[in-house]
Amino acid sequence: MIAFIKGIVESIDAGHIVVEQGGIGYLASVPASVLTRCQAGSEIKLLTYLQVKEDSMTLFGFLTQSERSVFMQLLGITGIGPKAALSLLSSLTPEQIMLAVITDDLQALSRAQGIGKKTAGRIALELKDKMRAAGEAEGTGISSQVGFQTVSGPKQDAIDALTSLGYSRGEAVRAVMEVYVPELNAEQAIKLALKKLAQ
């Protein structure tokens, strides 16, 4: 798999950019967030995902690990293809998508073009299940112990959301534990932990 491409933006089109590297132009499908943050002639580093089918190969590009991680998770949901996943990432940041999943905010998810309430509900349900499964597998689940403190409830949800965005288990646990107070809900905990991680 091509992990990333670093080169010059040759051209920008609706939903695509061409990156020239080593005399080769790579056509990558990208979310709107990439289109608004790059200019023709400028250097760019695209984190990539290569989708291989029997009759085609499609390259997708992202500026952050969080974008690529959420894109790949969305592709694992029944009925969600690359077009719908890019549409979601064009309407919401990865953090906003995970917050919407944690808080069951179907209205936020259905703002993306081509995403109805039914599809939004499936995304929220399946992504939440995947986050919990990943949390349990990595030891960030409800049964985890951090010191003598059990991770559960909003803390559990916040840690799962951060690990789904590409942060390591240690980073997620540390950030959430540093900002968490009992009156916080999961959404508030995630926002504060993201600010902590950005420092």
Side-chain angles (χ1 to χ4, degrees):
M1 178 180 158
I2 302 171
F4 70 88
I5 297 171
K6 189 175 183 180
I8 304 299
V9 178
E10 185 70 24
S11 63
I12 302 171
D13 199 357
H16 301 87
I17 64 172
V18 175
V19 179
E20 189 274 327
Q21 204 284 324
I24 299 173
Y26 295 89
L27 176 69
S29 296
V30 296
S33 56
V34 175
L35 295 173
T36 57
R37 289 187 283 177
C38 69
Q39 294 180 329
S42 63
E43 187 176 65
I44 193 171
K45 180 178 179 181
L46 273 187
L47 302 178
T48 57
Y49 172 77
L50 180 63
Q51 184 183 61
V52 180
K53 292 185 175 180
E54 286 184 9
D55 57 349
S56 67
M57 289 195 299
T58 308
L59 192 66
F60 298 92
F62 310 93
L63 293 179
T64 68
Q65 178 61 43
S66 295
E67 288 177 337
R68 182 170 64 180
S69 178
V70 170
F71 176 79
M72 292 170 69
Q73 288 184 60
L74 287 168
L75 290 187
I77 295 173
T78 309
I80 300 295
K83 187 175 179 181
L86 285 179
S87 177
L88 272 163
L89 283 166
S90 293
S91 301
L92 301 166
T93 66
E95 291 79 8
Q96 288 170 333
I97 291 172
M98 300 317 294
L99 284 173
V101 167
I102 289 290
T103 59
D104 288 316
D105 188 352
L106 304 188
Q107 188 174 356
L109 292 172
S110 59
R111 285 193 203 114
Q113 188 174 358
I115 304 295
K117 280 286 176 71
K118 187 177 179 181
T119 303
R122 189 164 62 246
I123 290 168
L125 176 65
E126 291 196 32
L127 263 193
K128 194 176 290 186
D129 286 345
K130 287 175 188 291
M131 286 163 51
R132 289 197 182 283
E136 292 292 343
E138 293 185 17
T140 59
I142 292 174
S143 61
S144 299
Q145 297 287 327
V146 181
F148 295 104
Q149 201 168 8
T150 302
V151 179
S152 61
K155 284 184 286 188
Q156 155 82 36
D157 291 339
I159 290 168
D160 287 347
L162 292 174
T163 55
S164 293
L165 289 170
Y167 292 102
S168 72
R169 172 183 174 258
E171 289 174 324
V173 171
R174 194 160 40 248
V176 171
M177 290 305 181
E178 286 181 9
V179 303
Y180 190 79
V181 289
E183 55 269 23
L184 291 179
N185 59 33
E187 183 176 355
Q188 292 166 329
I190 294 167
K191 287 179 179 178
L192 288 173
L194 283 169
K195 286 182 182 177
K196 188 80 177 174
L197 288 163
Q199 290 175 358

